[in-house]
Amino acid sequence: MQLAQWRRPRVILWATAGVVAFGFLITVEIVARRCAGVPGPITAQARELVFAPKPGPLYGGLALMMVVLTWRQRFIALGAAIGIDVVFVLVRWAVDANVPEGHFFGNGALWAMLGCAAFAITRRTGRERALLLKGVGLGLLLVTGRKTGDTWLLITSKTRPNVLDPYVATADHALGNPSWVAGRMLNSAGPVATHVLASVYAQLAVAAVVVALYQLRNVASERRFPRHHLVRTFLVIGLLGPAVYMIFPVVGPVFAYGPGASGTGGVQWAVANLWPHTPPPIGVPHAVPYDGITPRNCMPSLHTAWATAIFIHSRQGPRLLRYAGTFWLIATLSATLGFGYHYGVDLVAGVVFSLTVETAMRTYDRGWDRSGVKLVAYGTAVFTVLLLTYGFLPLEMARHPWAFGPLVILAAASMIYGYVRTTQRWEPKAAPTLRAEPQPEPV
């Protein structure tokens, strides 16, 4: 490539983003080894070239990568991935390898993506090479992002021994302790509702991939990516959100005020065994110690933020996709509260956080126009004020719910209103239909 081409702004931007991402991964790798004593995302990803991985993220990444391929190339890539997986499974069966539950296959998808990257470098040039490498990068970003998130959650549990759940639980009185209410409702709803909500909560990434595949369905034919799509917002939410976990470490109601959802917490670490039947009493909150295993991943609720982004991006799809996006948002909100994973104020912060990130991504595409910049600044301010209020005024929130409850809801509603107004202004207006002039009848 000529020197002039490297000086193009977009090339410089992509190169800078690549360097920053690689530096971030190395930093997380070092921190994971020093603070948590475990391999980081780079090592974990490299291991999956040989050892049995979780298949979902890898095949989800392969599906995203294939948006840049023709149908013939997709069948070849998928066939190669399945064939490689069959070989790995047979070898593990032959040597009687000890494979963790649910980790039967998936190596083939990773090898197929790396094979496409090698094919792009050696057999393609120009725009074709760039498009194929972007597709591979998109797929690997999904996989690596999942690994990085898992590592970061472990880092939060090792570096933040004290949690601020009493502060959030006290502030949640302003909203009527919705997690306790939802927990009792879910207990009485029966096993079918519990199973459905658990599946929705666990498979949030599947919904994101489905919406992203719809948005990227024309990449292969148009030979370019759309200006804005869900994957970008999804990844930025996952990149920025965990940083707040370090500032505001919270484990959630079922851990801090219940037995723990998976045994990692338990009543021995809980402030009291109250969830979901008895709301915590109002008192002066203080930080409490917790175990070194449970992630401090409640503030803000990233499941809520991601579900909100899925809902927003599904609005431009067909009716079935819009219904699915609405269902996924409602079910995710119900699951986060009903299983005791989050407090109500977490969800409010998650919605504001998601809309702020989504606005920032759209504003970047539009060249940082004034309306977008103002809304990003407003969303950042609202999110900051919410965190400060939860941290410094929780007792006042609990003692005056009639004032603080509506204010918290109004803060989220104002961000939603601003986002809707701003994006409607950005949408291209249809040209007016001109009425045809009547033609004179022939004589």
Side-chain angles (χ1 to χ4, degrees):
M1 186 177 290
Q2 297 178 356
L3 182 61
Q5 290 178 306
W6 281 105
R7 290 176 177 172
R8 292 177 182 175
R10 290 186 63 85
V11 174
I12 296 175
L13 178 63
W14 277 100
T16 304
V19 172
V20 171
F22 186 67
F24 175 75
L25 289 175
I26 293 178
T27 302
V28 175
E29 182 81 22
I30 295 173
V31 172
R33 291 181 178 274
R34 290 188 176 181
C35 297
V38 298
I42 297 177
T43 304
Q45 192 65 72
R47 282 174 53 87
E48 293 187 345
L49 288 170
V50 178
F51 295 95
K54 287 184 179 181
L58 287 169
Y59 271 92
L62 179 64
L64 285 179
M65 185 213 71
M66 290 194 297
V67 299
V68 302
L69 304 179
T70 63
W71 279 106
R72 179 177 175 273
Q73 293 170 337
R74 291 170 186 172
F75 284 121
I76 293 174
L78 182 60
I82 295 174
I84 294 172
D85 266 329
V86 169
V87 173
F88 271 96
V89 170
L90 290 176
V91 171
R92 292 188 186 111
W93 175 77
V95 300
D96 195 21
N98 185 18
V99 178
E101 184 179 357
H103 293 60
F104 297 108
F105 59 93
N107 307 89
L110 182 56
W111 279 104
M113 284 188 280
L114 295 178
C116 287
F119 180 81
I121 294 172
T122 58
R123 302 295 297 274
R124 289 291 183 266
T125 59
R127 294 184 61 184
E128 289 296 320
R129 174 190 288 176
L131 183 66
L132 188 50
L133 288 178
K134 284 182 181 181
V136 174
L138 188 68
L140 290 178
L141 273 176
L142 178 67
V143 179
T144 307
R146 178 72 175 265
K147 294 291 181 186
T148 305
D150 292 341
T151 304
W152 194 266
L153 292 182
L154 186 58
I155 292 173
T156 64
S157 66
K158 299 297 184 182
T159 59
R160 291 295 179 266
N162 295 328
V163 298
L164 304 181
D165 282 77
Y167 288 85
V168 184
T170 303
D172 217 34
H173 281 277
L175 299 179
N177 302 294
S179 182
W180 271 257
V181 176
R184 293 193 297 270
M185 293 175 61
L186 187 59
N187 285 344
S188 61
V192 175
T194 300
H195 178 74
V196 170
L197 292 184
S199 299
V200 169
Y201 191 86
Q203 302 300 329
L204 184 68
V206 175
V209 169
V210 170
V211 176
L213 289 177
Y214 174 79
Q215 292 181 321
L216 304 175
R217 66 193 183 281
N218 295 324
V219 170
S221 59
E222 297 178 355
R223 312 312 294 164
R224 64 179 180 84
F225 278 87
R227 248 183 146 180
H228 181 59
H229 52 85
L230 174 61
V231 180
R232 301 170 66 204
T233 302
F234 213 81
L235 290 173
V236 173
I237 288 175
L239 178 66
L240 298 180
V244 187
Y245 295 163
M246 305 295 287
I247 302 171
F248 213 116
V250 181
V251 293
V254 73
F255 294 102
Y257 293 95
S262 57
T264 57
V267 294
Q268 69 271 20
W269 287 101
V271 177
N273 192 8
L274 301 175
W275 188 88
H277 302 292
T278 306
I282 298 176
V284 179
H286 59 280
V288 295
Y290 210 79
D291 67 16
I293 302 174
T294 306
R296 281 61 164 153
N297 61 339
C298 282
M299 183 62 72
S301 170
L302 291 196
H303 261 78
T304 299
W306 282 321
T308 302
I310 291 172
F311 172 80
I312 291 172
H313 283 264
S314 66
R315 296 304 90 194
Q316 302 298 323
R319 181 178 301 177
L320 180 61
L321 193 64
R322 296 198 302 270
Y323 287 165
T326 303
F327 166 78
W328 221 269
L329 176 61
I330 295 174
T332 300
L333 297 179
S334 302
T336 54
L337 293 175
F339 291 126
Y341 296 148
H342 288 280
Y343 303 89
V345 290
D346 300 343
L347 273 61
V348 175
V351 170
V352 174
F353 181 74
S354 179
L355 293 177
T356 303
V357 171
E358 175 68 15
T359 303
M361 300 303 294
R362 289 176 179 262
T363 305
Y364 168 77
D365 290 332
R366 294 181 56 83
W368 297 106
D369 68 324
R370 183 177 180 182
S371 60
V373 171
K374 289 172 60 177
L375 187 58
V376 171
Y378 178 75
T380 303
V382 170
F383 182 73
T384 304
V385 169
L386 287 175
L387 293 186
L388 292 175
T389 305
Y390 301 160
F392 291 99
L393 299 174
L395 200 57
E396 287 74 10
M397 293 180 67
R399 289 175 175 172
H400 307 285
W402 53 270
F404 281 93
L407 286 176
V408 170
I409 300 299
L410 183 61
S414 66
M415 187 61 195
I416 295 172
Y417 175 77
Y419 176 81
V420 172
R421 284 290 304 273
T422 302
T423 53
Q424 282 182 346
R425 197 178 302 123
W426 289 344
E427 293 297 330
K429 296 181 180 180
T433 303
L434 299 179
R435 188 171 56 185
E437 292 294 334
Q439 298 294 327
E441 295 184 3
V443 179

